Amino acid sequence: MTQIAEPFNENQESAERAAGEVFSGFDSQYLNVYRENLELTAKARDSSINIRLLHSLIENYTRKSLELKEAYLEISAKNETMNQFLGIAAHDLRNPISINLMYAEFLLEHKAGSLDQDAREMIEVIRDRAGFMLKMLDSLLDLTRIEAGRIETVLETVDYAGLIKKICHSNRMLTESKNITLREFLPEKSCEVRIDPHRMEQVISNLITNAAKFSSPGTQIEVRVSIDEDRLVTTVSDQGQGIPAEKIPKLFRLFESVGIKPTAGEKSTGLGLAICKKVVEAHGGTIGVKSVVGKGSEFYFSLPLSLGLEPR
Amino acid sequence: MTTPKILIIDDDLDMQRLLKLYLKMSGFDTVECTNGLEAQALVLEGGFQLVISDLMMPGFDGIQFLRWLRQECKSMVPVIVCSSMSDKKTIDQVMSLGAGEYCRKPFRMDVLIPMVKGLLAKAD
């Protein structure tokens, strides 16, 4: 049988021919059984090839996922070290920069009389640059905390309308210095919410500061609060330059500059909106923007009322 | 009326100098030291109406000093903590240990001086 079976493996047609010659005297029923046997052998061979293939695929997959897991752990560890380093560096840098800022302020406030104009202006530059570095450092510290999952949201029950009024009040000095009107529109019924007021103030102030940064004198910034079904929606809209549609996806990413010039040469850290996004998301909310070039932008974020936020 | 004497605890000599300058300009006397241990000895000598302390200092830090001052020394002298720390946990801890005010660095003197005056008035 094995002698005959050998060539049969090659090709079913020639096998049948050969079988027909060798077994010409045999009865056709026997030939049929033999043919079925051949087909089954071929199928068995195919499945054994498939199983081997499957085995090697699984093996490959397992190895790859182990490699990926190792790489992931390695990157996580590196990331954690990086974050720790950034946190320490930012903190240790704060003190000397604070000294620079405070010394410059002292000179400008108490020694201005004995300084000529050049000296005064240079010290003002030192003060302003030191202030900017501090802002940048604080944002970096914030981000490292957020990245490390250590974002502190200390939830409190807050009168949201009251909070908005307070934030607008404290930002009015900035907007008025650019001759921009800042107005708030609040819902009639007051709204008590469970949020981190400090973090939320950071978000709303950032949106107002940004709006002012890209607005011209004589324009208006509006802060609106509304309740849309199960969400509390806050919008900050301006009549500024607007943002081209293709730049919008970059806005909330770290250190992405969209290349729009502030109206009074203000500086940007490139971190503000990324932090806003993280803070809003930590509250279970979403943030976004609608903008028309030449007409203005409207930044909005919504917080779920289901997360302990209740209109009263 | 005698001039109120204020103890400044800060390991940063440049910060010490600025605090001293501003406080003197506002009519206060000051004594400076660079850590909590030195401060302990000075407090035990007595004569301070107010303490301004940093938090992160080598050796005996601001938190340890504050704990010693209130719990062991049982002193009620008002304390303003000036630090660059900003996390709520630290500030809460400092306030619960009995600090009267928390002033984050960098601060403007027109923020610190009213704090000093306010605490001194309250202590009277």
Side-chain angles (χ1 to χ4, degrees):
Chain A
M1 282 292 273
T2 47
Q3 278 173 325
I4 302 158
E6 269 304 322
F8 286 2
N9 286 342
E10 294 298 318
N11 169 313
Q12 198 162 338
E13 258 184 38
S14 62
E16 276 180 26
R17 228 184 4 258
E21 282 162 18
V22 177
F23 297 101
S24 54
F26 284 58
D27 135 274
S28 70
Q29 214 180 347
Y30 190 86
L31 195 62
N32 278 342
V33 170
Y34 201 81
R35 194 176 292 158
E36 273 170 30
N37 190 15
L38 272 178
E39 278 169 20
L40 283 171
T41 314
K43 274 184 186 161
R45 196 176 53 228
D46 284 352
S47 1
S48 114
I49 289 170
N50 281 342
I51 287 169
R52 250 179 293 151
L53 198 66
L54 202 62
H55 266 297
S56 83
L57 274 176
I58 290 172
E59 220 168 80
N60 221 350
Y61 175 79
T62 315
R63 200 179 55 241
K64 281 260 158 61
S65 53
L66 273 176
E67 279 170 14
L68 266 176
K69 198 178 166 191
E70 271 168 29
Y72 171 76
L73 287 175
E74 200 179 319
I75 289 168
S76 302
K78 275 188 186 153
N79 206 17
E80 172 71 5
T81 314
M82 188 71 187
N83 274 332
Q84 277 174 0
F85 166 75
L86 261 178
I88 293 166
H91 195 264
D92 285 354
L93 280 170
R94 263 196 127 262
N95 274 329
I97 299 172
S98 294
I99 293 282
N100 281 5
L101 178 69
M102 292 171 82
Y103 270 50
E105 270 173 358
F106 178 84
L107 290 174
L108 290 169
E109 278 162 30
H110 300 283
K111 302 284 173 186
S114 52
L115 298 168
D116 68 13
Q117 199 185 335
D118 274 339
R120 258 198 318 274
E121 284 174 8
M122 284 177 177
I123 297 170
E124 275 169 12
V125 171
I126 296 174
R127 178 196 60 192
D128 296 347
R129 292 292 171 110
F132 180 73
M133 279 196 275
L134 277 177
K135 205 174 138 198
M136 184 112 191
L137 274 177
D138 284 344
S139 301
L140 270 176
L141 272 172
D142 246 3
L143 267 178
T144 54
R145 281 193 203 116
I146 294 170
E147 291 292 330
R150 277 185 277 120
I151 177 168
E152 287 181 2
T153 46
V154 185
L155 297 184
E156 287 172 34
T157 304
V158 180
D159 164 27
Y160 199 69
L163 181 71
I164 297 285
K165 275 188 205 156
K166 187 189 131 210
I167 297 169
C168 286
H169 180 72
S170 59
N171 277 282
R172 217 154 255 136
M173 204 150 90
L174 165 81
T175 52
E176 279 169 6
S177 74
K178 287 190 82 175
N179 194 20
I180 294 164
T181 314
L182 175 62
R183 297 185 65 195
E184 67 253 21
F185 297 88
L186 304 166
E188 278 184 18
K189 60 177 177 181
S190 79
C191 190
E192 275 200 348
V193 292
R194 288 281 295 166
I195 51 168
D196 182 329
H198 169 70
R199 288 284 180 192
M200 247 342 128
E201 179 169 351
Q202 196 182 4
V203 171
I204 299 161
S205 280
N206 195 289
L207 296 180
I208 296 173
T209 316
N210 272 352
K213 214 181 266 181
F214 300 102
S215 292
S216 302
T219 59
Q220 186 162 301
I221 295 172
E222 294 179 1
V223 181
R224 274 175 202 278
V225 176
S226 59
I227 293 165
D228 180 15
E229 288 181 14
D230 56 347
R231 301 187 81 79
L232 181 72
V233 183
T234 311
T235 64
V236 177
S237 54
D238 63 55
Q239 300 165 336
Q241 310 167 51
I243 307 151
E246 71 274 12
K247 307 228 160 132
I248 286 180
K250 280 180 156 191
L251 276 178
F252 295 96
R253 287 187 214 145
L254 284 177
F255 298 113
E256 286 277 10
S257 161
V258 294
I260 304 168
K261 288 214 162 54
T263 48
E266 292 100 325
K267 299 255 184 306
S268 293
T269 60
L271 301 169
L273 284 175
I275 293 176
C276 286
K277 185 168 187 275
K278 302 258 184 192
V279 172
V280 168
E281 283 170 357
H283 280 81
T286 53
I287 190 167
V289 62
K290 291 178 217 157
S291 190
V292 180
V293 173
K295 292 216 159 170
S297 305
E298 182 184 289
F299 282 81
Y300 58 89
F301 65 88
S302 73
L303 304 173
L305 286 166
S306 56
L307 284 174
L309 310 171
E310 285 164 14
R312 192 174 55 193
Chain B
M1 210 182 96
T2 54
T3 311
K5 198 156 84 173
I6 297 173
L7 174 62
I8 299 171
I9 318 168
D10 201 311
D11 59 326
D12 187 326
L13 297 182
D14 294 328
M15 182 59 76
Q16 261 191 23
R17 176 177 179 175
L18 196 67
L19 280 168
K20 184 179 165 179
L21 211 57
Y22 270 115
L23 290 165
K24 286 232 155 59
M25 280 168 59
S26 306
F28 303 108
D29 262 351
T30 62
V31 173
E32 303 80 36
C33 65
T34 55
N35 64 53
L37 273 184
E38 288 172 31
Q40 273 187 333
L42 289 164
V43 165
L44 289 173
E45 282 171 26
F48 294 104
Q49 279 73 52
L50 189 127
V51 176
I52 295 179
S53 176
D54 186 17
L55 280 185
M56 288 166 79
M57 292 175 286
F60 207 69
D61 66 21
I63 299 270
Q64 287 171 301
F65 170 75
L66 198 56
R67 191 175 286 129
W68 169 83
L69 187 74
R70 294 288 187 252
Q71 293 170 7
E72 284 178 48
C73 185
K74 310 275 184 211
S75 163
M76 290 313 289
V77 61
V79 177
I80 299 176
V81 170
C82 293
S83 162
S84 58
M85 306 286 281
S86 66
D87 60 294
K88 198 171 159 24
K89 207 175 128 199
T90 306
I91 298 171
D92 285 349
Q93 188 187 12
V94 163
M95 298 313 279
S96 71
L97 280 172
E101 296 278 6
Y102 187 91
C103 197
R104 191 183 182 211
K105 290 177 185 168
F107 45 83
R108 291 183 50 85
M109 285 303 151
D110 53 17
V111 171
L112 182 75
I113 300 298
M115 281 183 180
V116 172
K117 289 181 176 163
L119 285 179
L120 286 174
K122 224 185 336 183
D124 273 350

